[in-house]
């Protein structure tokens, strides 16, 4: 990997025990590697180092958006959890989330179960819900044979190239997310069922009353449908101010949660053809977005956001043991398709 060393004040503040570098011609993430062999071989020392330099690392996240701890002694889920032990867990879990995933151990989850041939576009975690994590951490336990990068992108840079008329419209009008969760008894096509979650899995229950309580706790409007599915609605801002910097940042999932546009970049033409077949226009698709006032979002505007996200996308090959920590507002993430076994785990952090 071609890298360029960094000598900024934020990096220099990390001391002499580590080096820091970027991919050539990219602005994120910052790769941090131990020079002190004790940090490379002793997980307790490594965890203590992260705790000692938390302030500097958090400042690096504001500057670079994300950092990767590489060649630290992380070999399993327990050592991953230890390395990020100085970070508090976010107040929420994945109940009501958009994609299939399971718990690995404690606060550590599978990154996703979305089929390996699908590309997950850049998005900020849970930006379609009332509560979302301030930071995320990813751990690569098994790197895939090909592809499978957890792509990242600077959302400040993306916002600068989104057409200003649309950026301002989203900032002023907000976003309506309408999501449908099928009943587990309803099966259409294996490829569609993989992206159309059941309400039982989404809300971690077989009890409708518990699912309703989950919707209420999250501030979601909901209704049950004749086919047994559950539809939720939530209106929220599409541009927010970053809590630490005060700058306005594009913060929504209009691209990831829209199926009215032919989003081949996410699903591919074959899946989109199935979506059109099984979910005709006006039907209850798994995900839909509008302006919060109910106005339609033009397909051309959505395509322009795709272009902006593509322009800022960075993909670096995972190495087993890598741990990435990112700011969930400043930095979006996604996943490239892959072949072979892949085991990437994630923690939601405050």
């Amino acid at each position: 990997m071609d890298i360029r060393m960094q000598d900024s004040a934020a990096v220099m503040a990390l001391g002499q025990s580590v080096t820091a570098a970027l991919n050539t011609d990219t602005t994120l993430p910052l790769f941090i590697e131990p020079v002190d062999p004790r940090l490379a071989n002793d997980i307790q020392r490594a965890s203590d180092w992260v705790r000692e330099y938390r302030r500097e690392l958090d400042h690096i996240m504001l500057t670079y958006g994300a950092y990767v701890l590489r060649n630290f002694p992380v070999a399993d889920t327990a050592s991953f959890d230890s390395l990020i032990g100085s970070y508090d867990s976010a107040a929420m879990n994945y109940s009501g989330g958009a994609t299939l995933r399971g718990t690995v151990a404690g606060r550590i989850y599978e990154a996703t179960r979305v089929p390996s041939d699908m590309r997950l576009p850049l998005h900020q975690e849970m930006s379609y819900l009332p509560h979302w994590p301030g930071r995320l951490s990813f751990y690569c336990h098994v790197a895939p044979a090909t592809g499978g990068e957890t792509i990242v992108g600077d959302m400040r840079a993306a916002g600068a190239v989104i057409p200003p008329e649309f950026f301002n419209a989203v900032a002023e009008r907000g976003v309506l997310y309408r999501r449908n969760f099928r009943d587990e008894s309803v099966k259409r096509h294996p490829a569609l069922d993989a992206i159309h979650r059941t309400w039982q899995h989404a809300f971690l229950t077989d009890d409708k009353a518990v699912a309703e309580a989950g919707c209420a706790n999250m501030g979601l409007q909901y209704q049950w449908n004749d086919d047994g599915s559950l539809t939720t609605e939530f209106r929220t801002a599409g541009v927010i101010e970053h809590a630490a910097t005060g700058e306005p940042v594009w913060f929504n999932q209009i691209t990831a949660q829209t199926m009215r546009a032919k989003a081949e970049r996410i699903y591919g033409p074959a899946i989109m053809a199935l979506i059109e077949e099984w979910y005709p226009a006006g039907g209850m698709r798994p995900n839909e977005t509008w302006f919060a006032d109910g106005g339609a979002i033009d397909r051309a505007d959505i395509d322009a956001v795709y272009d902006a996200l593509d322009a800022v996308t960075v993909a670096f090959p995972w190495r087993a043991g890598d741990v990435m920590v990112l700011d969930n507002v400043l930095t979006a993430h996604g996943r490239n398709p892959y072949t072979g076994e892949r085991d990437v785990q994630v923690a939601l952090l405050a």
Side-chain angles (χ1 to χ4, degrees):
M1 179 178 64
D2 191 10
I3 59 176
R4 51 194 170 95
M5 304 305 292
Q6 297 298 294
D7 58 1
S8 68
V11 171
M12 297 297 287
L14 293 176
Q16 301 301 311
S17 297
V18 299
T19 60
L22 288 168
N23 278 314
T24 297
D25 299 326
T26 67
T27 59
L28 80 165
L30 186 75
F31 291 85
I32 301 171
E33 300 190 44
V35 175
D36 186 337
R38 295 173 298 178
L39 294 183
N41 294 289
D42 186 330
I43 187 60
Q44 187 57 57
R45 282 185 177 272
S47 302
D48 290 343
W49 181 86
V50 173
R51 186 179 302 276
E52 180 181 356
Y53 286 95
R54 259 294 305 279
R55 182 175 179 179
E56 290 78 9
L57 291 168
D58 288 349
H59 184 66
I60 281 171
M61 264 194 290
L62 294 180
T63 304
Y64 295 95
Y67 65 84
V68 175
L69 301 173
R70 172 164 283 178
N71 293 328
F72 284 77
V74 182
D76 53 27
T77 302
S79 51
F80 166 45
D81 199 13
S82 175
L83 193 67
I84 61 170
S86 61
Y87 285 95
D88 291 334
S89 297
M92 75 294 299
N93 57 24
Y94 273 110
S95 176
T99 61
L100 294 168
R101 71 184 74 236
T103 300
V104 178
R107 64 174 180 168
I108 311 301
Y109 299 89
E110 299 172 333
T112 182
R113 292 184 187 173
V114 169
S116 62
D117 60 345
M118 283 180 57
R119 181 178 187 268
L120 294 180
L122 289 180
H123 62 281
Q124 293 127 310
E125 197 74 5
M126 296 185 177
S127 54
Y128 54 87
L129 291 172
H131 307 291
W132 33 266
R135 304 177 182 93
L136 300 176
S137 186
F138 294 89
Y139 157 55
C140 178
H141 184 57
V142 177
T146 64
E149 300 93 345
T150 296
I151 56 176
V152 290
D154 183 339
M155 295 309 292
R156 290 170 288 194
V161 294
I162 292 171
E165 297 82 2
F166 186 48
F167 186 101
N168 293 334
V170 172
E172 294 170 3
R173 300 172 68 180
V175 183
L176 163 63
Y177 298 97
R178 180 176 296 154
R179 298 188 295 148
N180 178 261
F181 302 93
R182 64 184 173 88
D183 186 84
E184 62 185 4
S185 65
V186 176
K187 300 184 185 300
R188 295 180 173 89
H189 184 282
L192 294 180
D193 293 344
I195 61 175
H196 193 170
R197 296 189 71 187
T198 70
W199 62 264
Q200 289 92 340
H201 191 279
F203 292 94
L204 310 177
T205 182
D206 293 322
D207 188 329
K208 287 187 174 183
V210 175
E212 292 173 1
C215 290
N217 289 338
M218 285 188 284
L220 307 178
Q221 296 179 308
Y222 66 90
Q223 71 173 30
W224 294 99
N225 305 300
D226 292 341
D227 62 358
S229 67
L230 174 65
T231 297
T232 67
E233 287 191 352
F234 177 60
R235 289 170 170 82
T236 188
V239 175
I240 66 171
E241 290 187 358
H242 189 276
T245 69
E247 57 197 318
V249 184
W250 183 264
F251 189 74
N252 63 71
Q253 289 200 22
I254 290 174
T255 49
Q257 299 268 347
T258 298
M259 288 185 172
R260 283 178 288 138
K262 286 185 176 292
E264 286 91 350
R265 299 187 209 193
I266 303 175
Y267 303 106
I271 299 297
M272 281 307 303
L274 288 171
I275 289 172
E276 296 293 341
E277 176 184 353
W278 287 93
Y279 305 107
M284 290 182 291
R285 298 185 174 187
N287 308 306
E288 296 282 4
T289 62
W290 286 267
F291 286 113
D293 57 19
I297 299 175
D298 191 88
R299 173 180 172 175
D301 289 325
I302 297 173
D303 287 344
V305 177
Y306 277 124
D307 293 339
L309 296 180
D310 286 347
V312 302
T313 296
V314 173
F316 66 91
W318 276 122
R319 296 183 188 175
D322 282 353
V323 171
M324 177 166 61
V325 184
L326 60 81
D327 184 300
N328 188 40
V329 176
L330 300 179
T331 305
H333 69 281
R335 190 208 69 191
N336 276 338
Y338 66 94
T339 63
E341 182 184 1
R342 180 184 190 268
D343 184 351
V344 175
Q345 302 169 15
V346 62
L348 308 179
L349 306 177

